[in-house]
Amino acid sequence: ARASLALEDFPSGADASERYLGLFDPNDQFYGEAAVLAGEALSKNGQPFAGLQALLSIPQEAPTEVLSEALVLVKGLSQQITFSELQELNRDPSSAPTFKGPIATELAVSLYLRGDETEATVWAERALGFGVQGEAEELARGILAGNLEEVMGQPLVLGAILPRSGVSPGLVEYGEWVLEGIQVAVEEFQSELRRPIRLEVLDHEGLPDKARASIQRLEEIGAVGSVAPFREDLLVEAAGFRTGSLPLISPFAAIVDRGEEGVFSLSSIDPVSAEFVAEYSWDLGLERIAVLRPDDEAATSEAASFRSAFESRGGSVVADIVYPPGATFFQSEFERVGALLPDGLFLPLTPRDIQLLAPQFTFYGLDTLGIQLLGTSGWTEDEVVQDVDSRHTDGVIASTTRLSQEETEAYRAFRLRYEERFQKSLRSQIPAYGYDAAVILLEALRSDPRNDTELLQAMERIVDFPGATGHLTVDRNGIHRIPQLVRIQDHELIYISTHLHQAP
């Protein structure tokens, strides 16, 4: 276990330390030392709750030096676990009195930050009764005096640059929905981070100079990160005006300039989506596929991913037909497709292009040739699924990261928190995107990063996180969700069960 930790092989270290601890009875002279090793190893492997459980199993009769070393770890790890985990540990009557004080203090702090000052006072008094000293004593007394914020220091500032005026009413409504999701995330993490959280909401008014001014304001007040504008152009403006690498996460920007460090989107182009469609196409028995797309970055990227995956399976991309952005008539392109008579046609398009192009596919008679239409997320947006005549979309197979028809456990938990806070039903998925954008930043703050660089590093350690919009993984190339495949039928998305949906 120690060798693995020294080599920074934390999974192996955690596994070995748990097996080592399992060799001893709690009354054995080596048990306390083994539990401290397990607590350290599990902590470094990102398992603070399991690490605490190992430490709290140390009996009060253990050597003083072991209890002292364990107490330091208990204090640190108790600041990294969730509110429900704190509650669970405080219900355990078996832990040594030495460790009860720090755990009770952290629960008192969490309750206070959640607004439950009465219950927080109860636990603060218990913590003092356990004889807490130092910082824990200051926190407990701060709760009893009603000035915990002063004791804990300045709040963490989370920014949100949203459309609140100067844009269409629909976009303002989207902004309000996203803000609601952010507020749910802040309320949830308020009790789990050991600092008060302040949400700073700024209005970009749909204007580049306002987006730049918003970034300047957030940097001036020391914001840790921000939910960023929906539109790519405003996101680029904001990102380019930063003096450092303040993390920005947009809920809906389609493409992010990957040259900008710390700029992410929950809706950026992900090559995995096109790969899923390609692999499923081959499984369907399609062998010859043509690609029809605009000459832009998003479609070019998705087409390249599709071709690579499809040809690696043995398929053939018989043509890559490109039209200029903004085109409205596609007769020549469809005549070429008809002449090739492929098994399928891959169309990585925006909703606007689909609204123009899909009816023409039918008009020029290609719907009678047995060509399977394939696409990516543009086909699954409401303005296509709901607004385009079903004659032109029925049977299309596409990839999507939209929530499935069945509510996930994470989405259900978000919905319940949303409805409890706002006392109304959750009628849109939009708030979930605001929630996840904020949650990624807040989750990364658990490790108490000291600057933008450390915060970005913490974000990039988020792997397969159960967000409201799906399981989220962050790396330098963006935020990824495992896509799902759907078939469009009668203005509905019919989710396709396939082995491709398993997490890598």
Side-chain angles (χ1 to χ4, degrees), residues 90-165:
N90 276 287
R91 287 193 295 265
D92 182 4
S94 63
S95 58
T98 299
F99 306 132
K100 289 182 182 295
I103 302 295
T105 301
E106 289 306 318
L107 179 57
V109 169
S110 294
L111 287 164
Y112 186 93
L113 293 175
R114 290 171 72 91
D116 191 347
E117 295 184 19
T118 301
E119 190 68 10
T121 298
V122 171
W123 282 98
E125 290 174 341
R126 289 185 187 179
L128 291 172
F130 290 133
V132 291
Q133 298 177 351
E135 182 188 15
E137 182 181 3
E138 291 181 11
L139 292 170
R141 296 196 183 281
I143 290 171
L144 296 177
N147 63 349
L148 179 64
E149 290 82 357
E150 295 178 21
V151 176
M152 298 188 76
Q154 294 298 314
L156 296 167
V157 179
L158 177 67
I161 306 173
L162 302 172
R164 313 202 76 190
S165 65

Side-chain angles (χ1 to χ4, degrees), residues 353-417:
D353 278 7
I354 295 168
Q355 290 172 330
L356 294 169
L357 186 146
Q360 295 182 49
F361 181 84
T362 304
F363 179 80
Y364 291 113
L366 273 73
D367 60 323
T368 65
L369 302 179
I371 300 172
Q372 174 65 59
L373 295 186
L374 308 161
T376 48
S377 60
W379 288 86
T380 67
E381 296 298 329
D382 286 342
E383 55 262 53
V384 174
V385 177
Q386 300 299 326
D387 299 343
V388 176
D389 192 307
S390 61
R391 292 178 300 163
H392 313 312
T393 59
D394 279 355
V396 173
I397 292 173
S399 59
T400 183
T401 55
R402 293 185 64 173
L403 302 177
S404 68
Q405 292 160 317
E406 295 184 3
E407 198 173 64
T408 64
E409 182 178 344
Y411 184 80
R412 178 177 180 275
F414 165 69
R415 179 177 59 77
L416 292 175
R417 284 192 292 266

Side-chain angles (χ1 to χ4, degrees), residues 439-460:
V439 159
I440 289 172
L441 290 164
L442 295 169
E443 178 68 19
L445 288 168
R446 285 187 188 276
S447 62
D448 197 23
R450 294 168 294 182
N451 50 48
D452 291 346
T453 299
E454 289 189 1
L455 178 57
L456 289 173
Q457 291 171 347
M459 289 170 62
E460 291 168 9

Side-chain angles (χ1 to χ4, degrees), residues 270-472:
D270 190 341
V272 175
S273 294
E275 292 170 7
F276 268 38
V277 177
E279 293 172 10
Y280 188 66
S281 301
W282 177 257
D283 290 345
L284 284 178
L286 310 182
E287 297 181 356
R288 301 173 64 255
I289 291 181
V291 176
L292 176 57
R293 62 177 177 85
D295 186 13
D296 63 30
E297 182 180 355
T300 299
S301 173
E302 291 186 321
S305 298
F306 180 92
R307 176 189 287 271
S308 176
F310 192 64
E311 291 183 343
S312 70
R313 288 293 190 97
S316 173
V317 175
V318 296
D320 185 10
I321 304 169
V322 181
Y323 61 83
T328 56
F329 296 102
F330 305 95
Q331 181 176 359
S332 62
E333 288 84 358
F334 281 136
E335 287 177 346
R336 185 176 174 192
V337 172
L340 290 166
L341 198 59
D343 300 322
L345 179 62
F346 180 58
L347 300 154
L349 310 177
T350 64
R352 175 193 173 277
D353 278 7
I354 295 168
Q355 290 172 330
L356 294 169
L357 186 146
Q360 295 182 49
F361 181 84
T362 304
F363 179 80
Y364 291 113
L366 273 73
D367 60 323
T368 65
L369 302 179
I371 300 172
Q372 174 65 59
L373 295 186
L374 308 161
T376 48
S377 60
W379 288 86
T380 67
E381 296 298 329
D382 286 342
E383 55 262 53
V384 174
V385 177
Q386 300 299 326
D387 299 343
V388 176
D389 192 307
S390 61
R391 292 178 300 163
H392 313 312
T393 59
D394 279 355
V396 173
I397 292 173
S399 59
T400 183
T401 55
R402 293 185 64 173
L403 302 177
S404 68
Q405 292 160 317
E406 295 184 3
E407 198 173 64
T408 64
E409 182 178 344
Y411 184 80
R412 178 177 180 275
F414 165 69
R415 179 177 59 77
L416 292 175
R417 284 192 292 266
Y418 176 96
E419 293 176 350
E420 180 181 3
R421 175 182 172 85
F422 296 106
Q423 293 298 298
K424 63 180 182 181
S425 297
L426 177 60
R427 301 185 180 279
S428 168
Q429 296 178 357
I430 300 302
Y433 284 82
Y435 173 83
D436 276 357
V439 159
I440 289 172
L441 290 164
L442 295 169
E443 178 68 19
L445 288 168
R446 285 187 188 276
S447 62
D448 197 23
R450 294 168 294 182
N451 50 48
D452 291 346
T453 299
E454 289 189 1
L455 178 57
L456 289 173
Q457 291 171 347
M459 289 170 62
E460 291 168 9
R461 289 194 293 270
I462 295 176
V463 177
D464 203 26
F465 180 83
T469 64
H471 282 250
L472 307 170

Side-chain angles (χ1 to χ4, degrees), residues 178 218 427:
V178 167
L218 291 177
R427 301 185 180 279

